[in-house]
């Protein structure tokens, strides 16, 4: 397996140096690094994701208390628009073990490099949360705002793998909403890494995809504070 230095185009210390002022300023928006991986690997990963046949459609709605729960397509369509929480397609990361480029990217996100970067950035001993998400958003897909502050989560990371790339008006933007109502959007640009904070008052989500030609692939990982009783 190639080392991270042959895959990641931006040195670890450069990522930390650029991200440190962002983090210490208690950010209310994501920080994006463009062209994070070797372009050949990133483009091949998109081809692998497009070739996968293991995508599963998922739907969820929220109750009056704002608690989300899975539902069927029929239940989703029957719900009032304000009760619709998310609609997208997901795939278990385990499926990608048969791939080459995606496996390399997952290794960077899972096996130390990204955890080390996030730990150095936040000044917190971290471990990757067991949850990891490989998602596909096509026309109509979206994710409603939520904060994910449970399980001592500190910082999140998303890698985008899209061909054709995102264009203005296509939808599928990641957003962070502050208590003031101010919203920061981040375009899901191909071969980019987005970092974002977990805080009680910040809600994040994904705007609806509008362009039928745009397919938003994303690999997401969350990092949580390591506690004495935590086990990897």
């Amino acid at each position: 397996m190639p080392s991270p230095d042959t895959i990641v185009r931006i040195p670890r210390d450069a990522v930390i140096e650029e991200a440190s002022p962002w983090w210490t300023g208690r950010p209310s928006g994501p920080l994006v690094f463009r062209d994070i991986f070797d372009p050949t690997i990133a483009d091949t990963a998109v081809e692998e994701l497009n070739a996968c046949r293991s995508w599963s459609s998922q739907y969820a709605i929220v109750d009056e208390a704002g608690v989300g729960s899975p539902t069927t397509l029929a239940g989703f369509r029957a719900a009032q628009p304000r009760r619709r929480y998310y609609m997208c397609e997901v795939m278990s990361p385990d499926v990608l073990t048969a791939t080459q480029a995606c496996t390399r990217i997952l290794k960077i996100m899972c096996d130390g490099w990204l955890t080390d970067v996030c730990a150095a950035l936040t000044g917190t001993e971290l471990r990757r949360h067991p949850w990891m998400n490989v998602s596909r958003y096509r026309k109509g897909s979206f994710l409603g705002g939520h904060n994910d502050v449970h399980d001592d989560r500190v910082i999140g990371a998303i890698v985008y793998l899209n061909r054709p790339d995102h264009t203005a008006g296509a939808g599928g933007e990641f957003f962070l909403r502050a208590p003031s109502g101010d919203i920061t959007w981040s375009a899901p640009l191909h071969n980019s890494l987005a970092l974002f904070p977990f805080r009680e008052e910040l809600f994040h989500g994904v705007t609806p995809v509008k362009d039928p030609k745009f397919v938003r692939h994303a690999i997401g990982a969350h990092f949580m504070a390591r506690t004495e009783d935590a086990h990897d």
Side-chain angles (χ1 to χ4, degrees), residues 61-143:
I61 56 177
V62 294
D63 59 21
E64 292 297 335
V67 178
S69 60
T71 188
T72 62
L73 175 58
F76 183 84
R77 287 175 171 170
Q80 298 176 356
R82 66 182 181 85
R83 297 271 305 278
R84 295 172 184 169
Y85 181 22
Y86 65 73
M87 177 178 73
C88 65
E89 297 168 277
V90 300
M91 177 170 52
S92 168
D94 294 339
V95 175
L96 297 180
T97 56
T99 66
Q100 295 186 19
C102 286
T103 297
R104 294 184 184 184
I105 291 173
L106 284 171
K107 184 175 179 62
I108 297 301
M109 300 188 73
C110 298
D111 294 347
W113 187 88
L114 188 54
T115 305
D116 181 52
V117 165
C118 290
L121 172 62
T122 61
T124 305
E125 188 176 359
L126 299 176
R127 67 187 183 104
R128 184 175 59 82
H129 191 277
W131 176 92
M132 193 165 190
N133 181 260
V134 181
S135 63
R136 179 169 73 179
Y137 285 62
R138 296 191 282 186
K139 190 176 188 309
S141 298
F142 72 97
L143 173 62

Side-chain angles (χ1 to χ4, degrees), residues 137-178:
Y137 285 62
R138 296 191 282 186
K139 190 176 188 309
S141 298
F142 72 97
L143 173 62
H146 59 292
N147 62 13
D148 277 336
V149 293
H150 49 284
D151 299 334
D152 296 316
R153 301 185 205 200
V154 177
I155 189 170
I158 309 170
V159 166
Y160 297 112
L161 299 163
N162 316 309
R163 280 288 187 243
D165 205 352
H166 183 270
T167 57
E173 294 91 355
F174 179 84
F175 69 83
L176 277 172
R177 184 174 69 241

